[in-house]
Amino acid sequence: MLALRYMRSRRSRWLPSAIAGLSVTGIMVGVMSLIVVMSVMNGMRDEMISKLIGVNGHIFIQPIDTPLTDYREVTDELKKIKGITFAFPLIENAAGISSQQQQTGALVRGVTEADLKRLPGVEGNVRQGTLDHFEGDAGLVIGEKLAETLGVQVGDKVSILTARGAQTPFGVTPRLKAYPVKAIYESGLYDFDQLIVFMPLSEAQLFFNRPGEANLIEAFVAHPDDVDAVRTRIVQAITRPIMLTDWRQRSKTFFDVLKVESDSIFLILSIIVLVASLLIVQGLILLVKDKGRDIAILRTMGATRGSILRVFILTGLTIGATGALFGVALGVPLALQLDNIRNFINRTFDLNLFPASIYHLSQLPSSLDPHEVGGIALLTLCLSFLATLYPAWRAARLDPVEALRHE
């Protein structure tokens, strides 16, 4: 009761109340900004993961000691393991690719037509051409950005060059062969669309001198974050020597950068809450000065220093909790409806915020994490509590005799 009543000043009625209002507003804005921005960062991370592992698998199996000539048997064993939804063998090799206009590097992947049609990053993302008769026509499926770089369309021919070609008495000679472009896909990730070229598996085995073998098997799991459990089952099921890696290891640098960015943004936006907490310090110091006579009377009536301390701590915590409550109440709906708000602003003011042509995302991603929201609210309360300690300590140490004498 005293904490709530002391949020209003008796003598200087407007100043402490105004500072309390500014504190609540600052904390509210800080909490709301943290929730919205962290939701966008989470959404971007989830979107990047879904696109990254849409072309690449979740688990990668490479042979050790002996070539992977038994790739069919190993793939069949993988498909029986609990948690694996899809597994396929492939030939993966770096090569040069050129058209009549341009030339560049590429990562050629030899896969079967059935497996290519099941790849999440390719399935449903073919922009030109078709995947039908992919193996029979011995054509290539290339990314949209690579097609733009080479200046080709479906039906045009491109040449693939590898340094490891035919074996002759004079050594290994480069091999160059022209293939028609069968289809063009767009995965949504620039690096993949610029780099990866799909070739029929049988053709890749001949072109790269790997008859009857594969050099990699990729597997997709139901839940990408649970790859550790699946890896344990793979080690137990596959008896031949293999080397296992997963999507986290292959993309470690990329996701480390995302984590650093996310942590940096969280730290920067937390400064807003910290500044608002400093306003709590200033407001409580003025409140202690304003309520000096009341504190003295309470002390003479038997109130302990601990009671006075608790009153002013509760006053500051009330300000912090109010700001946090309003911040969560505004931030959560804003994070959930962020893309609708973006579309409304674009329509109303004829803008193009977050254009899909640049970011390759059809909508502004936002993923609200309840644990993160709770952590932000808890951080706000902790900062508010720390901000109350010094003013409350000053109030508790106020000498009632001196306070009444000056009154």
Side-chain angles (χ1 to χ4, degrees), residues 105 109 135-136 155 173 204 248 251 275 304 341 383:
R109 290 183 170 182
E135 290 179 298
T173 61
R248 298 171 304 183
S251 307
V275 171
T304 63
I341 295 171
L383 290 175

Side-chain angles (χ1 to χ4, degrees), residues 286-303:
L286 289 174
L287 185 61
V288 170
K289 187 174 181 63
D290 183 64
K291 296 295 183 182
R293 181 171 179 272
D294 293 6
I295 295 170
I297 293 174
L298 287 172
R299 289 296 310 280
T300 57
M301 292 174 63

Side-chain angles (χ1 to χ4, degrees), residues 12 37 41 62-63 103 116 161 194 205 224 235 278 325 363 378 396:
S12 303
V37 173
M41 293 297 295
Q62 294 174 283
Q103 61 182 5
L116 181 61
L161 171 67
Q194 176 68 29
Q205 289 172 331
V235 171
L278 294 178
L325 181 63
Q363 60 183 10
L378 182 61

Side-chain angles (χ1 to χ4, degrees), residues 35-231:
I35 291 174
V36 172
V37 173
M38 296 310 296
S39 297
V40 172
M41 293 297 295
N42 292 337
M44 289 291 291
R45 179 183 180 275
D46 294 343
E47 191 74 21
M48 290 297 109
I49 288 176
S50 66
K51 289 184 179 295
L52 189 65
I53 61 182
V55 179
N56 283 332
H58 302 148
I59 296 178
F60 309 90
I61 299 167
Q62 294 174 283
I64 297 177
D65 297 335
T66 58
L68 194 59
T69 54
D70 56 342
Y71 62 88
R72 291 187 181 90
E73 292 79 3
V74 175
T75 303
D76 291 338
E77 288 293 328
L78 285 173
K79 292 177 179 178
K80 298 176 184 177
I81 296 175
K82 180 181 177 182
I84 292 182
T85 58
F86 174 43
F88 67 100
L90 67 152
I91 294 284
E92 186 175 80
N93 211 93
I97 184 169
S98 61
S99 65
Q100 293 182 353
Q101 294 84 16
Q102 296 289 337
Q103 61 182 5
T104 185
L107 183 65
V108 178
R109 290 183 170 182
V111 297
T112 65
E113 180 179 326
D115 292 335
L116 181 61
K117 288 182 176 179
R118 292 189 62 185
L119 276 179
V122 178
E123 179 189 16
N125 293 323
V126 176
R127 299 294 178 254
Q128 296 182 37
T130 177
L131 299 180
D132 296 333
H133 309 297
F134 167 66
E135 290 179 298
D137 297 341
L140 303 179
V141 177
I142 66 176
E144 188 175 52
K145 298 303 177 185
L146 181 58
E148 292 177 1
T149 300
L150 297 175
V152 297
Q153 295 181 350
V154 171
D156 296 340
K157 285 194 173 184
V158 296
S159 299
I160 301 293
L161 171 67
T162 178
R164 298 179 59 185
Q167 182 72 39
T168 68
F170 302 100
V172 179
T173 61
R175 174 173 291 164
L176 178 68
K177 188 174 181 180
Y179 296 93
V181 177
K182 181 69 178 173
I184 297 174
Y185 70 93
E186 182 188 13
S187 68
L189 284 177
Y190 180 88
D191 289 345
F192 286 173
D193 293 345
Q194 176 68 29
L195 184 67
I196 295 179
V197 174
F198 292 101
M199 175 187 288
L201 178 59
S202 57
E203 182 65 28
Q205 289 172 331
L206 293 174
F207 187 81
F208 293 110
N209 293 327
R210 294 181 180 271
E213 68 174 275
N215 62 358
L216 182 67
I217 297 178
E218 291 189 5
F220 288 80
V221 300
H223 304 287
D225 291 328
D226 298 335
V227 292
D228 290 331
V230 179
R231 287 183 62 157

Side-chain angles (χ1 to χ4, degrees), residues 218-390:
E218 291 189 5
F220 288 80
V221 300
H223 304 287
D225 291 328
D226 298 335
V227 292
D228 290 331
V230 179
R231 287 183 62 157
T232 302
R233 299 188 194 113
I234 292 175
V235 171
Q236 295 172 349
I238 305 300
T239 54
R240 67 156 291 144
I242 56 173
M243 180 175 68
L244 279 175
T245 54
D246 59 55
W247 65 272
R248 298 171 304 183
Q249 294 169 294
R250 285 205 168 192
S251 307
K252 185 177 184 301
T253 303
F254 175 75
F255 289 109
D256 284 347
V257 170
L258 280 183
K259 188 176 187 308
V260 170
E261 289 181 350
S262 178
D263 293 344
S264 301
I265 290 175
F266 182 87
L267 182 62
I268 292 169
L269 292 178
S270 297
I271 296 176
I272 300 176
V273 181
L274 180 61
V275 171
S277 300
L278 294 178
L279 285 175
I280 295 178
V281 177
Q282 183 179 3
L284 288 182
I285 289 175
L286 289 174
L287 185 61
V288 170
K289 187 174 181 63
D290 183 64
K291 296 295 183 182
R293 181 171 179 272
D294 293 6
I295 295 170
I297 293 174
L298 287 172
R299 289 296 310 280
T300 57
M301 292 174 63
T304 63
R305 288 183 173 180
S307 300
I308 301 300
L309 187 74
R310 287 193 296 272
V311 166
F312 285 93
I313 287 178
L314 285 173
T315 302
L317 281 177
T318 302
I319 296 173
T322 303
L325 181 63
F326 280 114
V328 171
L330 290 175
V332 170
L334 189 61
L336 294 175
Q337 300 297 325
L338 197 58
D339 193 60
N340 293 331
I341 295 171
R342 178 185 70 93
N343 292 331
F344 173 77
I345 293 174
N346 286 343
R347 289 194 305 266
T348 304
F349 299 101
D350 194 22
L351 299 174
N352 190 18
L353 299 177
F354 206 78
S357 60
I358 296 177
Y359 296 98
H360 304 288
L361 298 172
S362 58
Q363 60 183 10
L364 184 61
S366 179
S367 177
L368 189 68
D369 185 355
H371 297 93
E372 202 165 60
V373 173
I376 292 171
L378 182 61
L379 172 67
T380 304
L381 291 178
C382 290
L383 290 175
S384 301
F385 172 74
L386 293 175
T388 63
L389 293 180
Y390 175 68

